[in-house]
Amino acid sequence: MKKCPECGNPSYDGAPICGNCGYTFPKPKNSVPKREDIFKKEEPKKVKPSSDESTLDILKEKKLIIGIILLITLILICGIFLTGGSYNTSSPMQNVDSAEYNEGSFSFKYPSDWQETNLTDEDHPGAIFFKTTNNTIVEYYNVSSSASSLKEINQNRISHAQSVGASVTLLETITLDGRNASNIILENADGNYTRYVSMFSDGELYVFRLSGESVNSITSDEINGMLNSADIA
């Protein structure tokens, strides 16, 4: 119930006028929610990147780095192949002022600054000798042999070397003139080194005997170039 402010007569709450004096009651104000409450937009939630997306990004970065490394490696390999290939296919004595030794069906080339010396080999009277620029002695000889293979020849050579106090540093099979050849390096009892490079064909044994103060002196590029020029006609 409400009372009329003019006459005090009680009236029900929804009455528009006072039933006693006719006073017009003011219209009640409706409570309206604030506009900002009605239209307030909810801020979008920030979505954190999932761990799968992060992992994918990392993998992509790693693949890019690996790809760059592989590309650089491939370029380096191609460069080595191009520069190395042209060198390996050239004649072993192509860039050296050389002379040639020829004895019947066998020949080889050697640097022209090697000096032919008058040394002798009692076991091989027909041997020839050269002295290289680093004082390595190069002996060449050929003999007829009744051996059945290079293996047998090498076994006999090693047995003799060990009997005089030498030890085997290297024993391997190499290829010269498209044929199998043996390469043996011995350390002598006096500390010097001897290298035997032998080719065996049709009962003929062709031998290079190299003597020097170190392994490097008997395996130098100019010596290996000379050996690679060996040819059996």
Side-chain angles (χ1 to χ4, degrees):
M1 296 292 288
K2 60 183 178 181
K3 291 182 179 182
C4 175
E6 293 292 333
C7 65
N9 184 58
S11 300
Y12 62 92
D13 290 336
I17 61 174
C18 177
N20 181 44
C21 68
Y23 175 78
T24 301
F25 291 109
K27 293 181 179 181
K29 296 180 180 180
N30 293 328
S31 59
V32 180
K34 294 182 179 179
R35 184 178 181 87
E36 63 180 7
D37 294 334
I38 296 175
F39 298 99
K40 185 177 181 181
K41 293 183 179 180
E42 185 176 352
E43 294 182 1
K45 294 181 180 180
K46 295 182 179 180
V47 180
K48 294 183 178 179
S50 65
S51 58
D52 292 339
E53 291 177 346
S54 300
T55 303
L56 183 60
D57 291 339
I58 293 172
L59 289 175
K60 287 181 178 178
E61 291 178 0
K62 287 186 176 180
K63 285 182 179 179
L64 179 60
I65 294 172
I66 292 172
I68 293 173
I69 293 173
L70 290 176
L71 180 61
I72 293 173
T73 303
L74 181 61
I75 292 172
L76 291 175
I77 291 173
C78 290
I80 292 172
F81 176 78
L82 291 174
T83 56
S86 61
Y87 173 80
N88 292 334
T89 56
S90 63
S91 172
M93 301 296 292
Q94 180 177 346
N95 299 320
V96 178
D97 185 12
S98 62
E100 183 174 5
Y101 174 82
N102 197 312
E103 181 190 45
S105 62
F106 186 80
S107 65
F108 62 89
K109 294 180 180 180
Y110 60 93
S112 58
D113 58 2
W114 286 9
Q115 296 178 0
E116 190 168 353
T117 61
N118 294 322
L119 299 175
T120 58
D121 183 343
E122 294 180 358
D123 296 326
H124 307 100
I128 61 170
F129 295 84
F130 300 94
K131 180 184 288 187
T132 71
T133 53
N134 63 0
N135 294 323
T136 297
I137 299 300
V138 178
E139 175 185 1
Y140 163 75
Y141 61 86
N142 80 289
V143 293
S144 297
S145 174
S146 60
S148 59
S149 64
L150 270 176
K151 181 178 180 181
E152 180 182 347
I153 293 169
N154 290 337
Q155 287 175 341
N156 294 334
R157 179 169 289 138
I158 290 172
S159 296
H160 173 72
Q162 291 176 335
S163 68
V164 294
S167 59
V168 180
T169 300
L170 177 67
L171 171 59
E172 64 178 355
T173 299
I174 59 176
T175 301
L176 296 177
D177 191 28
R179 308 166 188 265
N180 286 337
S182 65
N183 182 35
I184 301 176
I185 296 179
L186 305 172
E187 183 177 1
N188 305 321
D190 60 3
N192 291 326
Y193 290 84
T194 301
R195 179 185 183 188
Y196 288 94
V197 177
S198 306
M199 304 171 68
F200 188 52
S201 177
D202 297 330
E204 290 292 318
L205 180 62
Y206 307 89
V207 180
F208 292 97
R209 182 176 183 269
L210 308 120
S211 304
E213 297 180 350
S214 67
V215 172
N216 290 337
S217 67
I218 58 176
T219 58
S220 65
D221 289 342
E222 64 177 12
I223 285 178
N224 289 334
M226 178 273 296
L227 294 171
N228 285 325
S229 71
D231 177 65
I232 300 175

